[in-house]
Each structure stands twice: as C-alpha cells, then as structure tokens.
Amino acid sequence: MNTPAWQWNEIQQVGTDYTDINEVQKYDDRMATIRNVDAENQHILDLLTLPAHSAILEIGCGTGRFARYASELDYDVTAIDISPIMLEYVKTKTSQEGKSINTQHAGFLTMDFPADSFDAVVSGLALHHLPDTWKFIALTNIARILKPGGQFILRDVVFTTTPNEPPTTCLQNFIDSVPPEMLKEVARHVASEFSTYDWIMQGLLERAGFNIISTSAPAPAQIIYHCKL
C-alpha cells in the first residue's frame, strides 16, 4: 500500500527516544518502582471482562507490561509499537517468560490488520504523539479493526479545564503535580507533545463511533476512557 505524501509520519520519534535496549530495561525497572503496573493492568482487564482467548491489541506497547500480563492470563495478545527497540525488548522478555505475543512494527495509522480482528484494543500514554487531526483518523482505524460491540480502553494525558480559569492553568497544575526528577520530562511533554483537552477527546471518540461507557482519572491530567462500539 502506497502511503500518501500528506500522511503524518507516526514512525518519527515524539518524546523520549530509547535507542538502546539497556536504557529500555532501566525505564521498565523505573516504572515498576513508581507505579503499581500489575494493578493498572488488572484494572484494564476488569473493565473489559472478556473471556479467555479473546483477541486483544495493544497499541504503543512500550516495554509490553500490559501485553505480557494479559498473555499470562490466556488472552490472545498482539502488541505494536513504532520503536523497533521496544519491540525487541518485548520479544526478549516474552521468550524469557515463556509467553506468546504477536508483534508488529506499526502505530495507530500504519497498522494493517483486517476489519473486525479484535475483541478489544488497549492503548496507554501513546495517542498524544499524534496531533488532533490524526488522532481522529487513528480512532476511526481502531473502530475499523474492532469486532462489532468491541471495546476500547484509552489512557492518556488529557487536560481538563475549569470555567473562568485561563486554559494554561491546567498545564501548570500538571507540571506542579510531578516529583522533581520528572519535571524536565513533563515540561517537555507539555511544550512539544500533542496532549489535548477533555472536551476535544470526548468529541473525537464519539465522532469515531465510540460510546463512552465510563471515565476515570487515575493521576493528575490523566484520563482512562472505557469505550464500546
């Protein structure tokens, strides 16, 4: 398939670039110390309530923590990412742990799965790599590959504004909420990545054909959307 010259290049790196597998290991270890990743993953599966062997796709799998966790619980998991280093790490960990996970070097726009391929799609902290125009196209692509009645769990950095406050207030509140060691990375995120406002995200999801079943806010400036076709 020929890619149009005007299509967003999602394979370009946005955010921190992990080019060394040892750095990926350090990142994976660090996340395990500041977040209860297993509890987060179980929460996603509790929301989905899918039977064993259901087909789940994770977009932007990173180190594969969710994909590896779901695979251990007998789901048929496919994991994709735009980073070859991340996928190499996932394959290595999967082999070491005796799990079975399908992988593909792709993202929201370039994945080429047939229509009606998955019972559920999960994506965490990845959609903000796309501008809003391309977020909508990504969401319609997700809807295309989901089976009728399929579910979508989206977790991302999304800003919530308060009436009568300047729109920059929620950005500053996000920066003020993080520990000092993360300040530089979060400030870069706000300055150069594509996180959007909650009212825009809601509109994008609904226009793409999703019904929003529930939302929750597990951390400052983060929202989990549980959606269904």
Side-chain angles (χ1 to χ4, degrees), residues 23-38:
E23 288 301 315
V24 174
Q25 179 69 65
K26 291 177 183 177
Y27 168 80
D28 199 23
D29 293 341
R30 185 169 72 253
M31 287 299 102
T33 64
I34 64 176
R35 293 164 50 190
N36 189 340
V37 181
D38 285 347

